Amino acid sequence: MMKYIISLLCFMILCPLQAQLRYDFDLVRSAASSRITHDTKWSETFQKDVLQVKADENGSALSLAMNGDIDWGKLKYMVCEVYHPNEHTVLLNICLFRQGEPASGVPWLYCSVAVLPKLKTQVIFPLEYLSAQRIFLPRFPRQLKGVLTGNRIEPQDIAGMALQFFPAMSPLFTPSVEIASVYLTDELPANYGAPQQKYVDRFGQWTMRDWPGKIRDEAELKQKMTQVEKTAARAAFPKGWSRYGGLKALRFDATGFFRVQHDGKRWWFVDPEGYAFLSTGVNCITSGQSGVYDGMEDLLEWMPDRNGQFASIYENRDQKRIDYFKANQMRVYGDEWLDKWLATTPGLMKKWRFNTVGNWGDRGFAQKSGLPYVYHMGEIPVTDIRLYRDFPDVFSPEYRQLAAGYVQQLAAAKDDALLIGYFLCNEPKWAFGDNVLAYEMFATPQASYTKLKLVAWLKEKYPQVDAFNAAWNLSCASVDELLLHTFKRYPSETSEKDFRAFTAIMVEEWIRIVCEEARKADPNHLNLGMRYAWISSDVLVKPARHFDVLSMSAYTAPVPPPTEEISRISGRPVLLSEWHFGSALDGNLPTSGLQTVISQAERGKAYRTYAENGFSRPEIIGMHWFQWTDQALLGRGDGENYNIGLLDACSLPYPELTEAARIAHENMYELALGRKKPYFFQLTPTPTIKAQE
């Protein structure tokens, strides 16, 4: 697959004044043929010759030929200097191939990083991430979200490296990219100097694109925001809905709290008054939407006095952040901006028929809004010893103790009738991929209670050590000797089956313990599960019987992913806790999100298609859109900058999207009862524009 070669000279530059260790990849044209268009050309951006490539629809890659020895022990970063003039974000994939693996062209490990358009950028990959224990890269100036996928790899086992560029789909997505240099180093590079043109205007908008509805001045902003306020003030749920947003025409036994019920045909939430309820929610309903500017101050057109009227738009957490969404509300409403936001937001939700404040919503707002809400408990307890990524030593006494303390946060709202239920955690990182936890434990010699439990389980399965050795292709004096082993590959096919079987036992324990403790702390509200990023393995599904509802992100198009079997195996209804569509070509943001459509008009059609087909399924009882507002142009903490909001950076709704949401939600009960057929629109084929997970 790798047909153009960038030769790796692998030389070390030692400067008396700079103790920097650096291995440069010399960008040399190859005589080999390839589908990738490439050329060496003079670049005005970099003021030197660069390699220009054009992304290929088949994912062809530029190979980094590894000639000579590399002192990996002293190196810390891989750096790629890139620029692209496209209208949308481009993805750079750094691919690594492991020695001894089949020559399938599939990387053993790869890192996907999103790169802003029309902005010279250094993509930085920390080499410590070769361990694959963390999957989201840290933020560096101008660099957007970076995601790691695959398996851990030792530097000495790297057989090859390559670069890929996405997306590529004719005719609108055929990006060209300039590569100025690729190198390995032991130091972070210095930031680039300021660009000639500012990148973000005073309203948080992109300066390098115009679009219908772009705000030009404060008078226009005030006129449009006050009009939104007036329409929200008149909003109310339909007459046939209960005060919670349930269906008055269908009633079950009331308990004073939300619960779930199967009526013989389909699953329902049941609201506190006993009415059938389907949850239409929005995540991240907050009064601000800050973005990182750390090391990127020179990209901003407007940074107000830190001690003046707009001082509160600055945040100093792990990174410096600025909040234009908040600033725009302050421009219009002054000191009353928060009261206006608290009053307007529930009205907009009712106008668009959203009946649930979704995950990560401001809890104070949720409780004051009078609307049902869900509660996010944060990350599930992790023991001092981690077996793989965020997976704890579940058979240790410490895990039960941590779980018992963790669930005490539920006590504060255990009598709140507006609370639908709680999520135990969000997208556990060990479940990103079909990871065999029991096997991953043996990548290191680290001792754990769970390793001891595995050995005891194997001794019960193989009472004779000879049988164990034959099955695992080992020569142990006893099964206990396994505790001294580490593995880079499965010793046998049977060992892989055993590792997978015990992984299911580990996940069962992980879920069972925290669910038991949560039920003790709060017997009134629903356990909404773990908010899986996706169902990456069947080991996630069977233990879901400990939940009341199985929740999962569901980023598919044009309709939700298959859910019938998930519900059948788990015995639980399904809540799609995240989904969205974004466009990268016709608005403020050049990055679409986890599902892409061609335009704002198609965002609305995509919403109706997805939501109406989802609520037509008897196992789906809720769908929560991610999220309330667009993300910041320069990215939130992890670098996401997606066009996924119901509102833009100026607090203005996307009319095509919000009107489609209203129609879909008004149809949902008729769809659920089988009295209507769902809307369907065949979306324009469009590539996904976001860091690949």
Side-chain angles (χ1 to χ4, degrees), residues 279-291:
S279 179
T280 60
V282 190
N283 292 304
C284 304
I285 303 180
T286 60
S287 59
Q289 189 62 221
S290 65

Side-chain angles (χ1 to χ4, degrees), residues 424-492:
L424 293 165
C425 73
N426 177 63
E427 298 183 351
K429 305 305 179 288
W430 66 263
F432 276 57
D434 183 13
N435 298 304
V436 184
L437 299 173
Y439 169 72
E440 294 292 346
M441 282 195 301
F442 285 86
T444 73
Q446 175 181 252
S448 66
Y449 283 92
T450 305
K451 272 189 179 178
L452 292 172
K453 189 71 174 180
L454 169 60
V455 168
W457 179 78
L458 288 170
K459 289 167 75 172
E460 185 175 333
K461 181 174 183 179
Y462 301 102
Q464 303 299 322
V465 69
D466 290 344
F468 169 72
N469 284 329
W472 278 54
N473 192 29
L474 296 175
S475 54
C476 297
S478 72
V479 180
D480 292 313
E481 197 175 299
L482 189 65
L483 294 170
L484 304 176
H485 281 255
T486 59
F487 298 105
K488 288 187 177 181
R489 291 175 175 80
Y490 292 108
S492 70

Side-chain angles (χ1 to χ4, degrees), residues 253-324:
D253 292 338
T255 64
F257 296 98
F258 281 90
R259 63 183 184 86
V260 293
Q261 178 163 328
H262 195 283
D263 67 0
K265 294 182 180 180
R266 71 162 290 127
W267 284 98
W268 300 94
F269 281 115
V270 178
D271 78 15
E273 296 176 329
Y275 296 113
F277 180 93
L278 296 175
S279 179
T280 60
V282 190
N283 292 304
C284 304
I285 303 180
T286 60
S287 59
Q289 189 62 221
S290 65
V292 171
Y293 71 91
D294 216 350
M296 297 183 284
E297 294 87 343
D298 55 5
L299 302 183
L300 307 179
E301 180 181 280
W302 179 76
M303 294 186 70
D305 184 346
R306 294 175 183 276
N307 298 311
Q309 174 189 359
F310 295 96
S312 64
I313 72 171
Y314 291 104
E315 298 177 17
N316 287 315
R317 293 187 251 170
D318 53 331
Q319 302 152 308
K320 297 177 182 177
R321 305 187 190 200
I322 190 167
D323 196 332
Y324 290 105

Side-chain angles (χ1 to χ4, degrees), residues 278-588:
L278 296 175
S279 179
T280 60
V282 190
N283 292 304
C284 304
I285 303 180
T286 60
S287 59
Q289 189 62 221
S290 65
V292 171
Y293 71 91
D294 216 350
M296 297 183 284
E297 294 87 343
D298 55 5
L299 302 183
L300 307 179
E301 180 181 280
W302 179 76
M303 294 186 70
D305 184 346
R306 294 175 183 276
N307 298 311
Q309 174 189 359
F310 295 96
S312 64
I313 72 171
Y314 291 104
E315 298 177 17
N316 287 315
R317 293 187 251 170
D318 53 331
Q319 302 152 308
K320 297 177 182 177
R321 305 187 190 200
I322 190 167
D323 196 332
Y324 290 105
F325 183 79
K326 183 187 291 186
N328 289 331
Q329 296 173 82
M330 295 171 72
R331 285 185 169 104
V332 175
Y333 297 115
D335 293 341
E336 297 179 351
W337 73 269
L338 184 56
D339 291 336
K340 289 290 186 181
W341 182 85
L342 289 169
T344 300
T345 302
L348 291 178
M349 292 181 68
K350 290 179 180 179
K351 176 181 173 64
W352 303 326
R353 309 317 191 214
F354 286 103
N355 60 17
T356 305
V357 180
N359 210 40
W360 298 297
D362 179 88
R363 196 167 186 184
F365 161 74
Q367 293 173 326
K368 293 176 182 177
S369 69
L371 294 165
Y373 70 99
V374 295
Y375 175 55
H376 173 60
M377 292 180 65
E379 298 303 321
I380 199 168
V382 177
T383 53
D384 288 340
I385 290 176
R386 300 187 181 198
L387 303 180
Y388 178 68
R389 293 181 181 167
D390 54 352
F391 196 86
D393 188 5
V394 289
F395 286 98
S396 70
E398 180 193 6
Y399 180 60
R400 171 74 75 168
Q401 293 168 2
L402 290 172
Y406 171 71
V407 300
Q408 295 311 307
Q409 63 188 287
L410 295 173
K414 72 176 183 177
D415 297 321
D416 188 350
L418 285 172
L419 176 60
I420 296 174
Y422 50 85
F423 296 111
L424 293 165
C425 73
N426 177 63
E427 298 183 351
K429 305 305 179 288
W430 66 263
F432 276 57
D434 183 13
N435 298 304
V436 184
L437 299 173
Y439 169 72
E440 294 292 346
M441 282 195 301
F442 285 86
T444 73
Q446 175 181 252
S448 66
Y449 283 92
T450 305
K451 272 189 179 178
L452 292 172
K453 189 71 174 180
L454 169 60
V455 168
W457 179 78
L458 288 170
K459 289 167 75 172
E460 185 175 333
K461 181 174 183 179
Y462 301 102
Q464 303 299 322
V465 69
D466 290 344
F468 169 72
N469 284 329
W472 278 54
N473 192 29
L474 296 175
S475 54
C476 297
S478 72
V479 180
D480 292 313
E481 197 175 299
L482 189 65
L483 294 170
L484 304 176
H485 281 255
T486 59
F487 298 105
K488 288 187 177 181
R489 291 175 175 80
Y490 292 108
S492 70
E493 290 184 7
T494 301
S495 72
E496 180 177 359
K497 293 177 182 178
D498 287 341
F499 276 132
R500 287 186 176 277
F502 193 75
T503 293
I505 294 172
M506 293 165 64
V507 176
E508 170 84 20
E509 190 76 356
W510 176 69
I511 290 174
R512 180 183 66 82
I513 287 176
V514 76
C515 289
E516 288 177 356
E517 295 299 328
R519 189 69 65 198
K520 294 176 191 176
D522 183 356
N524 296 328
H525 295 108
L526 295 171
N527 180 334
L528 302 176
M530 301 291 185
R531 297 188 89 253
Y532 295 127
W534 71 93
I535 302 300
S536 57
S537 168
D538 58 2
V539 302
L540 304 178
V541 179
K542 288 184 179 179
R545 67 184 183 279
H546 296 290
F547 309 146
D548 295 304
V549 178
L550 187 153
S551 60
M552 55 183 280
S553 299
Y555 291 105
T556 54
V559 299
T563 49
E564 180 181 6
E565 186 177 7
I566 292 170
S567 180
R568 179 182 60 78
I569 294 173
S570 67
R572 294 292 178 260
V574 176
L575 170 65
L576 305 184
S577 51
E578 285 188 27
W579 66 286
H580 64 225
F581 293 90
S583 173
L585 296 179
D586 62 350
N588 179 45

Side-chain angles (χ1 to χ4, degrees), residues 168-190:
M169 182 182 290
S170 297
L172 295 177
F173 301 92
T174 55
S176 60
V177 181
E178 294 181 1
I179 309 171
S181 71
V182 182
Y183 61 92
L184 305 172
T185 180
D186 63 341
E187 295 181 359
L188 282 173

Side-chain angles (χ1 to χ4, degrees), residues 69-199:
D69 296 327
I70 300 176
D71 189 356
W72 290 103
K74 297 180 180 180
L75 295 165
K76 295 182 179 180
Y77 307 100
M78 180 178 182
V79 181
C80 303
E81 291 190 283
V82 297
Y83 171 85
H84 67 96
N86 309 287
E87 287 299 312
H88 57 82
T89 294
V90 164
L91 308 174
L92 166 64
N93 281 6
I94 301 170
C95 306
L96 297 102
F97 302 86
R98 192 172 81 158
Q99 292 177 1
E101 295 303 315
S104 62
V106 178
W108 186 254
L109 180 72
Y110 72 88
C111 178
S112 180
V113 182
V115 182
L116 283 163
K118 304 177 183 179
L119 187 66
K120 189 168 67 169
T121 303
Q122 296 175 113
V123 173
I124 301 171
F125 173 61
L127 297 179
E128 64 179 302
Y129 278 66
L130 296 176
S131 68
Q133 295 306 294
R134 289 172 289 180
I135 60 178
F136 297 119
L137 264 61
R139 286 295 306 273
F140 296 101
R142 305 191 186 186
Q143 180 172 314
L144 295 178
K145 189 172 186 179
V147 181
L148 203 69
T149 301
N151 306 284
R152 71 175 87 212
I153 186 170
E154 299 292 338
Q156 61 269 22
D157 292 334
I158 297 174
M161 304 169 69
L163 302 180
Q164 292 177 317
F165 299 93
F166 296 96
M169 182 182 290
S170 297
L172 295 177
F173 301 92
T174 55
S176 60
V177 181
E178 294 181 1
I179 309 171
S181 71
V182 182
Y183 61 92
L184 305 172
T185 180
D186 63 341
E187 295 181 359
L188 282 173
N191 291 348
Y192 286 135
Q196 291 184 342
Q197 179 181 350
K198 298 295 185 182
Y199 206 76

